[in-house]
Amino acid sequence: AIYHFGEDEWLYKVLPLDFLGFDNLEIYQLAQFCRTQKVSAYEILRKNRRFKIFNQFYHQLERWQRDSHNLNLTDLFGEVLEESGLTAYLVSRPAAADKLAKLQTLYGEMKELVSQRRGYSLADFMAYLETLEKHRVSLNQSVTPNFAGVRLLTMHKAKGLEFDYEYIVNAYDGHLGNKRRRETFKLNL
């Protein structure tokens, strides 16, 4: 939405995100009003007081879009994560460690790209992501959440991970293919 600032399609993809806290009915009313008035949602959010609930978010988007031309990509990313409330939202949710690890992977990829080219911008990063999507390449999660406690995983999910201790519940010797079956056959002479 920052990169595509001014394009309603991208705004409507962002507004329903949980961490922003907008009511779906208000989003629908905004879309309906814009459609009947044949006007851009950005124009309505900028001028119309009827939808003032979106006003602060509009100004944030506008500032982030301006900052995307003036800030380092990684600084912009950090600013958006903090000011949007996404980081706080993820920390308060179940499986926070996994989600934060995914964010760390994305940030690491950005950092690597910025280190390779000094003026790396949001537009460059969006083109990079588009290329990855086009060729169906995903970012490899290089960071594994590190926290104290018990992790419950399926055997398939745990494959390739290393732990100090592993317990397999309801398993017995022979359960995982270590079966020793003695099959004999009779010889009829």
Side-chain angles (χ1 to χ4, degrees):
I2 296 167
Y3 178 67
H4 294 283
F5 185 79
E7 298 177 32
D8 287 357
E9 173 189 354
W10 294 94
L11 179 67
Y12 288 128
K13 287 181 179 183
V14 170
L15 288 177
L17 296 174
D18 289 345
F19 71 94
L20 293 176
F22 295 123
D23 182 46
N24 287 334
L25 180 59
E26 291 166 339
I27 297 168
Y28 173 77
Q29 289 170 343
L30 171 67
Q32 187 70 15
F33 183 81
C34 292
R35 195 177 81 229
T36 58
Q37 298 299 315
K38 296 183 180 10
V39 66
S40 166
Y42 282 92
E43 282 298 310
I44 297 301
L45 296 183
R46 191 167 60 91
K47 294 180 181 177
N48 194 317
R49 296 194 188 280
R50 178 177 172 196
F51 296 102
K52 63 184 177 183
I53 188 166
F54 301 110
N55 198 286
Q56 180 184 357
F57 182 67
Y58 168 80
H59 289 296
Q60 276 183 323
L61 271 179
E62 184 178 45
R63 186 171 42 77
W64 293 333
Q65 201 279 329
R66 189 173 45 252
D67 287 350
S68 74
H69 298 289
N70 300 312
L71 289 179
N72 174 317
L73 179 64
T74 54
D75 292 341
L76 175 68
F77 185 68
E79 180 181 291
V80 171
L81 286 178
E82 189 62 35
E83 293 178 8
S84 68
L86 178 60
T87 305
Y89 175 80
L90 290 178
V91 168
S92 70
R93 306 296 296 170
D98 288 335
K99 291 186 178 25
L100 291 173
K102 289 177 183 177
L103 266 182
Q104 182 63 33
T105 299
L106 183 63
Y107 178 75
E109 190 75 16
M110 282 181 185
K111 202 170 156 183
E112 179 67 29
L113 292 167
V114 168
S115 73
Q116 292 174 5
R117 198 174 95 214
R118 193 177 193 298
Y120 201 81
S121 67
L122 177 60
D124 295 329
F125 189 66
M126 295 302 291
Y128 174 72
L129 291 178
E130 211 171 275
T131 302
L132 290 179
E133 188 175 339
K134 177 182 171 185
H135 296 289
R136 296 183 182 147
V137 176
S138 63
L139 298 175
N140 292 328
Q141 187 170 335
S142 58
V143 178
T144 305
N146 187 13
F147 57 90
V150 175
R151 292 191 65 184
L152 299 177
L153 303 169
T154 64
M155 288 183 355
H156 297 288
K157 180 98 175 173
K159 184 178 179 184
L161 301 177
E162 293 187 26
F163 299 99
D164 293 334
Y165 300 98
E166 297 174 13
Y167 299 94
I168 302 174
V169 180
N170 291 333
Y172 55 88
D173 189 32
H175 187 80
L176 300 174
N178 192 19
K179 296 180 182 176
R180 292 185 185 169
R181 291 191 332 201
R182 184 179 277 171
E183 293 186 24
T184 60
F185 56 92
K186 292 183 181 180
L187 290 176
N188 290 332
L189 298 174

